[in-house]
Amino acid sequence: MKVAGPMRVLFVIPHYYGVGAAGHGATDQNKREERILAVRTCILSLYQHFSAQQIIVPWGDQPHLPANQALSHEIRVIVCVTGENNLLDHLGIPDNLYTKHSVELDDPLKLGFACYDVMRCARNCYDWYCYLEDDTVITDPLFFHKLQAFYHAANTDRYLLQPNRFEIGSGDTAFKAYTDGPLWDANLMEAFSHSRFPVGVPELNVTCLNTAFRMVLATNPHAGCFFLMESQLHHMMEKPWCGKFDDSFCGPLESAATLYIMAFFHVYKPAPECASFLEVHHWHQRYFPPVMQKL
């Protein structure tokens, strides 16, 4: 497990917008501009917070100074699309920030599962393999360092740390809501387990910045994303059925992001009292309780 120096990080993002039953705003023609902004923010945030292209602007006529070089990573972004059903040509960002990967599908709901083939082909090339729904935004420059701190504490790659996903409100009752609370059935995660071993401990402490943070077995593993080390990717990809279409966990979108990490790993998340230790922003305000959205 690497602990220093730049890391090689692959982000794979399924993206669909068009006619069909892809759901979650992907076919709502009234939300086109909102979708464009979400996808643009998702991609740009990765470069804004992880790339080496960060500077300090001095006063006067002095040259710009590099910033955050010790925290930057080598990143690659691949966006998976099917046909012409996407908004990539309307993002208003340089197209060299991502690679467009087109796949032929009989159903756009299978697009998330096509990302597994991309990661399978990229094995042995990166330190981290990341799946992101196209409205998921990461703004924590220490994100991967915190993941490394977790695996240092866990001392096993059969544990997997998921971020807490949040949405932003406007402050009537809450300014921030973590949207993936406990599943309705506490035994649901065990029902999807295929090869997890040994039994996961209920919680463990991760020391970061001289502070201990509590990580607990997730009561809901979903976050619209996941982040795998090389060895974890191999654990998953050694099973030929990994990545095959299966919508049995809540639906096809949720299954693409979560089903297989449930099958192979004991999934942890930061405990409620330190939920922001590792978190991602769900750009839309879809799950935030309506009463909490009001001023």
Side-chain angles (χ1 to χ4, degrees):
M1 300 179 189
K2 295 180 64 178
V3 295
M7 291 174 270
R8 299 163 298 166
V9 185
L10 173 67
F11 296 95
V12 185
I13 302 171
H15 166 57
Y16 179 88
Y17 185 80
V19 178
H24 290 267
T27 59
D28 190 338
Q29 300 303 305
N30 296 321
K31 295 184 177 181
R32 183 175 183 274
E33 295 304 315
E34 181 179 321
R35 292 278 296 161
I36 289 173
L37 185 55
V39 179
R40 177 193 302 148
T41 304
C42 171
I43 295 174
L44 284 180
S45 68
L46 302 177
Y47 287 91
Q48 291 162 349
H49 300 286
F50 298 126
S51 79
Q53 294 175 270
Q54 302 181 52
I55 60 172
I56 295 173
V57 180
W59 288 17
D61 297 326
Q62 303 174 72
H64 295 163
L65 303 173
N68 291 325
Q69 302 305 293
L71 299 177
S72 66
H73 307 304
E74 301 173 13
I75 69 174
R76 184 184 181 193
V77 179
I78 297 178
V79 182
C80 292
V81 301
T82 181
E84 300 301 319
N85 297 305
N86 65 84
L87 296 169
L88 295 183
D89 291 339
H90 305 281
L91 298 183
I93 62 176
D95 56 13
N96 65 352
L97 296 185
Y98 60 87
T99 298
K100 178 181 176 181
H101 178 76
S102 296
V103 294
E104 293 185 9
L105 296 172
D106 58 355
D107 185 347
L109 290 172
K110 297 180 180 180
L111 186 58
F113 295 90
C115 294
Y116 286 80
D117 291 332
V118 174
M119 288 186 280
R120 180 178 277 110
C121 293
R123 282 183 295 183
N124 303 315
C125 294
Y126 297 92
D127 299 304
W128 291 97
Y129 300 80
C130 314
Y131 176 98
L132 289 182
E133 291 182 352
D134 65 3
D135 57 0
T136 300
V137 178
I138 307 175
T139 59
D140 182 359
L142 297 177
F143 192 90
F144 291 99
H145 295 278
K146 291 176 179 178
L147 283 173
Q148 286 184 321
F150 170 81
Y151 291 111
H152 178 76
N155 196 33
T156 174
D157 59 7
R158 300 313 295 254
Y159 290 4
L160 183 142
L161 183 63
Q162 281 283 77
N164 286 306
R165 186 172 61 156
F166 69 89
E167 294 180 356
I168 294 298
S170 53
D172 178 36
T173 306
F175 288 100
K176 188 177 188 179
Y178 291 95
T179 58
D180 300 303
L183 294 170
W184 60 92
D185 182 350
N187 298 316
L188 191 59
M189 290 178 64
E190 290 302 320
F192 288 102
S193 174
H194 292 284
S195 58
R196 290 184 287 144
F197 66 90
V199 175
V201 298
E203 63 180 65
L204 55 86
N205 289 326
V206 172
T207 300
C208 186
L209 301 176
N210 294 319
T211 303
F213 298 92
R214 194 166 63 99
M215 307 295 118
V216 297
L217 280 170
T219 56
N220 182 347
H222 188 65
C225 56
F226 60 76
F227 308 86
L228 303 177
M229 297 184 297
E230 177 76 45
S231 60
Q232 292 174 315
L233 183 70
H234 277 280
H235 283 317
M236 289 179 59
M237 296 304 174
E238 67 184 7
K239 303 295 184 182
W241 45 263
C242 179
K244 301 299 182 182
F245 180 74
D246 183 338
D247 63 356
S248 57
F249 177 69
C250 304
L253 302 185
E254 295 82 3
S255 294
T258 306
L259 182 63
Y260 291 109
I261 65 170
M262 293 171 65
F264 286 94
F265 306 105
H266 293 290
V267 180
Y268 292 78
K269 284 186 177 181
E273 73 272 10
C274 57
S276 63
F277 173 80
L278 195 76
E279 63 181 10
V280 295
H281 180 195
H282 186 233
W283 192 89
H284 296 289
Q285 197 180 61
R286 181 173 296 125
Y287 303 111
F288 209 100
V291 66
M292 295 184 180
Q293 297 178 15
K294 301 176 182 178
L295 285 173

